[in-house]
């Protein structure tokens, strides 16, 4: 006798077994507990039953296999059908998420439920604010385990869009805190870029991440450049900061050459003497800045240094870029 | 090239010493990066204790084929209860094992699984279209992709004929979203994997492109399953130049491959990629994913190398290089000739091959391939590490078919019959003086778009072309 068989609550359900032949590939030797629970799940799904006991059953299955997308989707449709409050569900999900860091399904589930309550929630600004704060607190907890968890960052973007947190001070501050802890956290840099350059208040709708957006105020571009430049000073070989600087310049429609002096702080190439390079990314930046200005010999020299000395694994790439300079000369 | 008599093997300093520039500020990222280098160095230098291994004059060990083959077969046998986490993704196990065995030349063994595969996946097909991870599960694009490719690899009427194409087409219509992308399952997440899995199914099975009326994306006559899709993918390119799971997320190697391969099903690489993506930024980002001394690829900026990106990032290179080169000259039966000038290789094939052979092989009795030293081998990594090795040993040529109408997206194709760009690739083995691997360690490259053995995509497509939909 198992958890369901012989249990009066489940008396009316005839479980549907999973029938597989002897030779089935990658057949898993399920535990009896899993076999029984899945048999009942197949039965309630076949009957399209959405009831409180389905919540118990799906919770049980998820505790045995959190990567079971069908169970999550069915659980979501059951919650929507029953139209029950989701606070308890969120609390329970937090625990499941903390135990299953690489799980995709839980985030979809969470968003399905938030979409469902959002119309009610958004009519009460204080409640909406409290809800968004709780989400942020939970994500902070997730980031303590892994500050680059891709799914959590995806959820964070969803929350920012949903609750329009683009202008939230707390949001920007929390990103700064994460970068303060680890200035090389590229996920945090990416999120910052999203916050600043996808803010519907002052950006062009549909502007791509790699293109100039003339609607962005100059002061915003200056602020972001200053922030990233300070970070590059802290750790000059941190590629995240340099990528961010390039991204901001692009959004602002500014040339790389406008920061030639800054990049030059990390690169000393005296005539005839030994060069002093504190950042290969600064050298790469200068190569592009010089190429932009038509100083092709200097650009070529920078690319040659990268390929021969400072970033040799990418020699073919640096050589290809040198070839493009030669093409530009013609 | 003998591995037994030795002059002292020579490993270039690039692969034995830390990077020339390192910051003094330590953070979690830099500490993890340093410890990963320390973990890899003994393998790159072949001083790993207790298991040093015979190496060739370049200091590179052999591919322990037999162990990997045995490991792969084992992933298809009965699995202990601890594998319950795979219960919703078993089709991936079939795909990974078949693809990896094919890279190792074990084609007969793969075809030998036909009957068992057919019996195993038949109950996984959902009555309303698509496949789930197991019997009675909802249909989902990931297992659907894996099942279709596994069936294609074993081939034959019994396998290919079991797919309910009409139901699959209607289900794809329900997954198609008004913004152009695809959900992974009804009510599931929309991301760039969805785009790739859907495009593979549509093209390989020669499905109609017309949008079924039941689609949430249906707005007007003339809409197709492709409407808005390349534009949606374009929005996934991040400010770094790489491609993210969905618009506004962080650039990531796995999603980059899905995006590029989807576009290369919809059009010719030199036409469609520049139309929808910023190519210089893409190449800069892609190139920065390769690290020294490790030699392998990381999936994102400031993350660690992982063997699986040998495919996800490594697999982007043939598509990008073809985009820069334009079409090669080729007629079936002759050797393909790259146009001049050609960009050649934009990454270090040597670095990747060293990482795979030195760091990613489990040299114990268990066999199989892995993320990095210290990690366990598994089916997923075995597949994508070996796929990357094959790609590193191969140049893929994209060629144009003069007698076919253009794959240009400007006149939107109405039949998959026009989606031919995915079938115009020819492999050429790269044989070089001084290559770091011995010829016995040459493996077969998988198709650069469909990631199945060369020829399988063409054969599958032809099979469906002559059958009534």
């Amino acid at each position: 006798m198992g958890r369901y068989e012989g249990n009066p609550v489940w008396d009316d359900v005839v479980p549907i077994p999973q029938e597989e032949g002897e030779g089935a590939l990658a057949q898993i030797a399920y535990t009896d507990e899993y076999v029984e629970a899945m048999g009942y799940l197949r039965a309630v799904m076949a009957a399209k039953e959405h009831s409180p006991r389905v919540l118990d059953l799906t919770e049980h299955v998820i505790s045995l296999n959190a990567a079971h997308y069908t169970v999550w989707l069915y659980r979501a449709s059951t919650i929507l059908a029953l139209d029950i409050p989701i606070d308890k569900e969120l609390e329970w999900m937090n625990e499941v998420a903390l135990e299953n860091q690489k799980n995709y399904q839980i985030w979809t589930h969470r968003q399905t439920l938030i979409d469902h309550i959002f119309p009610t929630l958004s009519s009460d600004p204080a409640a909406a604010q409290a809800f968004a704060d709780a989400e942020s607190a939970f994500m902070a907890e997730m980031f303590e385990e892994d500050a680059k968890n891709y799914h959590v960052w995806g959820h964070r973007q969803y929350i920012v869009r949903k609750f329009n947190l683009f202008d939230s001070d707390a949001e920007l501050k929390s990103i700064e805190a994460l970068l303060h802890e680890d200035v090389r956290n590229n996920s945090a840099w990416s999120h910052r870029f999203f916050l600043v350059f996808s803010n519907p208040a002052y950006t062009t709708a549909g502007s791509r991440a790699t293109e100039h957006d003339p609607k962005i105020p100059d002061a915003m571009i200056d602020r972001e450049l200053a922030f990233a430049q300070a970070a590059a000073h802290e750790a000059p070989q941190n590629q995240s900061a340099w990528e961010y600087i390039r991204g901001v310049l692009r959004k602002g429609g500014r040339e790389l050459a406008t920061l030639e002096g800054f990049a030059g702080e990390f690169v000393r190439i005296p005539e005839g003497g030994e060069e002093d390079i504190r950042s290969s990314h600064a050298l790469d930046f200068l190569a592009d800045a010089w190429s932009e200005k038509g100083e092709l010999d200097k650009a070529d020299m920078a690319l040659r240094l990268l390929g021969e000395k400072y970033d040799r694994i990418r020699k073919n790439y640096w050589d290809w870029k040198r070839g493009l300079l030669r093409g530009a000369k013609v | 090239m003998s591995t037994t008599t030795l002059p002292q093997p020579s490993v270039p300093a690039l692969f034995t010493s830390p990077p020339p520039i390192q910051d003094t500020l330590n953070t979690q990222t830099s500490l993890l990066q340093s410890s990963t280098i320390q973990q890899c160095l003994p393998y790159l230098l072949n001083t790993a204790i207790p298991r040093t291994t015979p190496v060739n004059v370049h200091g590179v060990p052999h591919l322990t084929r037999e162990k990997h083959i045995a490991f792969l077969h084992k992933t298809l046998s009965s699995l202990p209860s601890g594998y319950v986490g795979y219960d919703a993704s078993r089709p991936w196990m079939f795909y990974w094992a078949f693809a990896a065995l094919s890279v190792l030349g074990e084609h007969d063994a793969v075809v030998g699984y036909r009957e068992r595969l057919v019996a195993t996946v038949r109950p996984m097909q959902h009555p309303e279209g698509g496949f789930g991870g197991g019997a009675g599960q909802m249909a989902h694009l990931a297992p659907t992709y894996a099942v279709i490719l596994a069936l294609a690899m074993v081939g034959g009427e019994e396998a290919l004929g079991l797919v309910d194409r009409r139901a699959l087409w209607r289900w794809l219509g329900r997954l198609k979203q008004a913004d152009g992308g695809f959900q992974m399952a009804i009510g599931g997440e929309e991301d760039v994997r969805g785009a790739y899995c859907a495009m593979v199914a549509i093209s390989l099975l020669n499905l109609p492109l017309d949008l079924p009326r039941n689609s949430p994306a249906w707005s007007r006559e003339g809409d197709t399953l492709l409407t808005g899709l390349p534009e949606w993918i374009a929005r996934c390119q991040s400010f770094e130049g790489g491609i993210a799971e969905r618009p506004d997320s962080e650039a990531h190697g796995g999603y980059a491959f899905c995006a590029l391969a989807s576009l290369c099903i919809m059009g010719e690489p030199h036409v469609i990629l520049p139309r929808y993506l910023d190519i210089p930024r893409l190449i800069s980002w892609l190139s920065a994913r390769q690290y020294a001394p490790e030699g392998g690829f990381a999936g994102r900026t400031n993350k660690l190398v992982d063997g699986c990106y040998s495919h996800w990032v490594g697999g982007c290179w043939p598509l990008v290089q073809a985009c820069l080169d334009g079409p090669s000259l080729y007629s079936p039966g002759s050797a393909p000739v790259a146009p001049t000038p050609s960009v050649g290789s934009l990454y270090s094939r040597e670095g990747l091959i060293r990482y795979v052979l030195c760091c990613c092989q489990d040299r114990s009795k268990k066999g199989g391939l892995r993320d990095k030293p210290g990690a366990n081998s598994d089916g997923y990594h075995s597949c994508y590490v070996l796929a990357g090795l094959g790609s590193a040993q191969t140049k893929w040529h994209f060629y144009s078919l003069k007698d076919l109408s253009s794959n240009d997206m400007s006149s939107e194709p109405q039949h998959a019959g026009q989606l031919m760009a995915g079938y115009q690739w020819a492999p050429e083995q790269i044989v070089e003086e001084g290559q770091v691997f011995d010829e016995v360690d040459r493996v077969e490259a998988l198709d650069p778009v469909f990631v199945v053995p060369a020829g399988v995509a063409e054969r599958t497509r032809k099979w469906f072309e002559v059958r009534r939909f």
Side-chain angles (χ1 to χ4, degrees):
Chain A
M1 206 173 86
R3 183 158 167 167
Y4 304 97
E5 192 195 344
N7 180 337
V9 175
W10 292 93
D11 218 19
D12 57 317
V13 178
V14 180
I16 300 176
Q18 171 168 323
E19 281 171 21
E20 277 207 308
E22 271 292 292
L25 295 177
Q27 202 165 17
I28 299 166
Y30 307 115
T31 59
D32 291 344
E33 185 185 2
Y34 188 75
V35 169
E36 195 201 16
M38 284 303 297
Y40 279 81
L41 181 76
R42 278 187 285 269
V44 297
M45 281 177 60
K48 297 195 164 55
E49 172 183 330
H50 295 292
S51 64
R53 70 179 179 181
V54 167
L55 297 180
D56 295 337
L57 175 61
T58 49
E59 178 174 342
H60 182 210
V61 174
I62 286 166
S63 75
L64 302 173
N65 176 13
H68 208 313
Y69 63 85
T70 301
V71 185
W72 283 105
L73 290 167
Y74 197 71
R75 184 178 176 86
S77 61
T78 302
I79 292 174
L80 299 195
L82 295 174
D83 200 17
I84 51 174
I86 67 164
D87 334 18
K88 277 220 175 94
E89 183 74 0
L90 288 169
E91 223 171 276
W92 168 73
M93 256 191 289
N94 290 358
E95 276 169 41
V96 180
L98 284 163
E99 283 161 21
N100 296 276
Q101 293 277 330
K102 291 210 163 181
N103 184 291
Y104 272 86
Q105 288 76 29
I106 195 165
W107 303 102
T108 313
H109 184 68
R110 202 175 183 97
Q111 288 161 21
T112 303
L113 299 186
I114 296 175
D115 286 345
H116 173 65
I117 60 159
F118 189 74
T120 322
L121 193 56
S122 59
S123 62
D124 178 353
Q129 182 64 51
F131 188 92
D133 289 348
E135 286 297 286
S136 296
F138 165 59
M139 287 187 278
E141 208 178 329
M142 287 295 289
F143 288 143
E144 274 172 34
E145 302 291 319
D146 175 7
K148 301 178 181 180
N149 185 316
Y150 203 85
H151 303 303
V152 184
W153 283 107
H155 184 64
R156 183 137 195 157
Q157 279 135 28
Y158 163 86
I159 291 291
V160 168
R161 270 192 223 98
K162 196 89 196 167
F163 293 87
N164 192 16
L165 303 180
F166 288 100
D167 290 315
S168 152
D169 244 7
E171 184 67 14
L172 199 61
K173 284 267 155 35
S174 80
I175 297 306
E176 280 169 18
L178 281 168
L179 287 176
H180 183 71
E181 208 160 291
D182 185 349
V183 73
R184 300 179 178 92
N185 183 346
N186 198 60
S187 306
W189 282 102
S190 269
H191 188 75
R192 184 179 177 103
F193 196 90
F194 158 70
L195 274 183
V196 177
F197 297 108
S198 296
N199 186 339
Y202 55 79
T203 61
T204 307
S207 169
R208 296 221 183 124
T210 52
E211 69 189 10
H212 175 208
D213 181 353
K215 276 180 72 181
I216 294 173
D218 258 357
M220 193 61 81
I221 301 290
D222 292 336
R223 185 191 79 182
E224 290 308 298
L225 286 176
F227 180 81
Q229 283 174 257
H233 271 297
E234 215 183 324
Q237 188 57 13
N238 172 17
Q239 184 164 26
S240 296
W242 290 97
E243 286 295 318
Y244 196 83
I245 290 171
R246 282 175 180 266
V248 176
L249 289 174
R250 182 75 73 103
K251 273 287 165 199
R254 299 188 191 177
E255 296 192 327
L256 270 61
T258 55
L259 288 187
E260 182 184 345
F262 166 73
E265 292 176 39
F266 305 95
V267 172
R268 301 242 181 284
I269 312 178
E271 282 206 31
E274 178 83 353
E275 74 278 357
D276 175 19
I277 310 292
R278 286 167 56 216
S279 168
S280 67
H281 308 300
L283 195 54
D284 178 16
F285 187 95
L286 284 173
D288 285 344
W290 288 332
S291 156
E292 208 176 69
K293 289 168 69 185
E295 298 177 9
L296 301 184
D297 290 335
K298 280 170 80 176
D300 187 74
M301 180 262 310
L303 293 171
R304 189 172 46 75
L305 279 174
L306 284 164
E308 292 176 359
K309 212 162 165 184
Y310 295 102
D311 195 5
R312 291 165 57 205
I313 192 75
R314 298 168 70 192
K315 183 168 193 309
N316 293 355
Y317 169 72
W318 303 120
D319 283 349
W320 171 70
K321 289 202 38 157
R322 292 178 70 193
L324 295 181
L325 290 179
R326 282 195 296 278
K329 269 183 191 173
V330 176
Chain B
M1 288 235 172
S2 160
T3 56
T4 45
T5 57
L6 46 195
Q8 195 59 27
S10 70
V11 181
L14 175 59
F15 303 108
T16 63
S17 30
I21 304 174
Q22 291 186 81
D23 291 328
T24 46
L25 174 78
N26 277 323
T27 63
Q28 192 183 28
T29 296
S30 63
L31 294 173
L32 277 172
Q33 174 59 24
S34 304
S35 71
T36 299
I37 291 178
Q38 290 314 317
Q39 229 168 343
C40 291
L41 279 178
Y43 290 86
L44 293 161
L45 284 158
N46 193 37
T47 54
I49 306 297
R51 214 173 261 109
T52 59
T53 195
V55 292
N56 66 18
V57 291
H58 303 283
V60 174
H62 281 301
L63 184 65
T64 50
R65 280 174 191 269
E66 297 310 319
K67 279 186 195 167
H68 302 326
I69 291 168
F71 173 81
L72 290 162
H73 284 297
K74 217 169 162 200
T75 64
L76 294 173
S77 67
S78 296
L79 303 170
S81 63
Y83 278 80
V84 70
Y86 281 99
D87 193 33
S89 46
R90 271 170 72 207
W92 280 112
M93 316 270 286
F94 319 150
Y95 168 74
W96 295 329
F98 292 174
L101 285 167
S102 304
V103 173
L104 296 171
E106 297 289 297
H107 300 288
D108 292 347
V110 171
V111 174
Y113 278 112
R114 180 187 292 150
E115 219 173 297
R116 289 176 65 193
L117 176 74
V118 167
T120 311
V121 303
R122 195 185 296 279
M124 295 177 173
Q125 184 159 223
H126 196 279
E128 289 171 26
F131 290 83
Q137 299 185 21
M138 290 181 189
H140 190 285
L141 268 173
T144 298
Y145 166 89
V147 164
I148 287 172
L149 293 188
L151 291 171
M153 284 189 272
V154 300
E157 174 89 36
E158 201 194 350
L160 299 178
L162 84 76
V163 182
D164 182 343
R165 292 156 79 203
R166 276 191 166 274
L168 176 63
W169 170 73
R170 279 193 297 267
W171 176 63
L172 287 171
R174 295 169 70 191
L175 298 178
K176 174 81 177 178
Q177 300 296 297
D179 65 7
F182 284 87
Q183 282 184 337
M184 294 298 286
I186 292 169
E189 62 276 13
E190 177 187 20
D191 63 43
V192 87
R193 292 175 307 155
Y196 177 55
C197 296
M199 283 314 303
V200 165
I202 290 166
S203 176
L204 271 187
L205 274 57
N206 194 31
L207 302 181
L209 296 183
D210 315 77
L211 192 66
R213 279 293 184 115
N214 63 357
S215 172
W218 201 93
S219 63
R220 61 182 172 86
E221 217 56 63
D223 280 349
T224 75
L225 286 166
L226 273 54
T227 303
L229 184 58
E231 290 82 1
W232 185 84
I233 293 171
R235 290 174 53 213
C236 296
Q237 184 168 31
S238 89
F239 70 96
E240 294 186 81
I243 299 165
E245 179 181 36
R246 57 177 71 94
D248 293 324
S249 286
E250 184 184 6
H252 184 293
Y255 301 111
F257 176 79
C258 290
L260 295 182
S262 308
L263 289 171
C264 288
I265 292 172
M266 290 186 267
E268 303 183 314
H270 59 290
V271 177
I272 197 162
L273 296 183
R275 181 172 299 162
Y276 291 103
L277 299 172
D278 182 326
I279 297 298
R281 292 315 300 149
L282 171 66
I283 294 177
S284 167
W285 177 83
L286 207 52
S287 161
R289 302 283 62 76
Q290 191 165 24
Y291 297 168
E294 305 95 301
F297 297 127
R300 305 183 242 165
T301 302
N302 277 331
K303 290 276 282 178
L304 306 171
V305 283
D306 177 337
C308 73
Y309 295 113
S310 307
H311 167 70
W312 297 120
V313 172
C316 289
W317 282 118
L319 308 177
V320 164
Q321 284 162 189
C323 161
L324 295 175
D325 274 352
S328 293
L329 288 174
Y330 175 69
S331 51
S334 65
V337 180
T340 45
S342 161
V343 295
S345 300
L346 287 182
Y347 70 104
S348 168
R349 292 177 189 266
E350 175 182 351
L352 181 58
I353 291 169
R354 280 186 186 276
Y355 184 69
V356 167
L357 291 176
C358 297
C359 296
C360 293
Q361 300 195 75
D362 182 328
R363 296 176 195 162
S364 75
K365 222 167 52 200
K366 182 187 174 199
L369 295 109
R370 63 190 176 193
D371 163 350
K372 57 172 71 66
N376 288 322
S377 59
D378 57 32
Y380 167 80
H381 285 90
S382 298
C383 172
Y384 293 119
V385 169
L386 287 171
L389 178 61
S391 178
Q393 296 172 335
T394 306
K395 173 169 175 64
W396 279 99
H397 294 266
F398 177 81
Y399 58 91
S400 276
L401 294 173
K402 295 282 177 284
D403 53 335
L404 272 182
S405 59
S406 154
N407 285 284
D408 210 288
M409 282 293 296
S410 57
S411 58
E412 205 170 85
Q414 297 302 308
H415 309 285
Q418 289 170 257
L419 289 179
M420 291 311 289
Y423 307 93
Q424 294 166 217
W425 293 86
E428 177 195 4
Q429 291 186 349
I430 298 177
V431 183
E432 282 173 334
E433 195 73 29
Q435 68 188 27
V436 294
F437 64 95
D438 294 5
E439 277 303 315
V440 295
D441 297 325
R442 186 178 288 284
V443 296
E444 295 183 22
L446 298 176
D447 183 286
V449 173
F450 295 100
V451 205
V452 288
V456 165
E458 290 79 359
R459 179 184 79 192
T460 307
R461 164 72 184 220
K462 285 210 173 77
W463 195 91
F464 284 108
E465 271 176 2
V466 297
R467 275 161 183 84
R468 266 180 72 97
F469 171 69

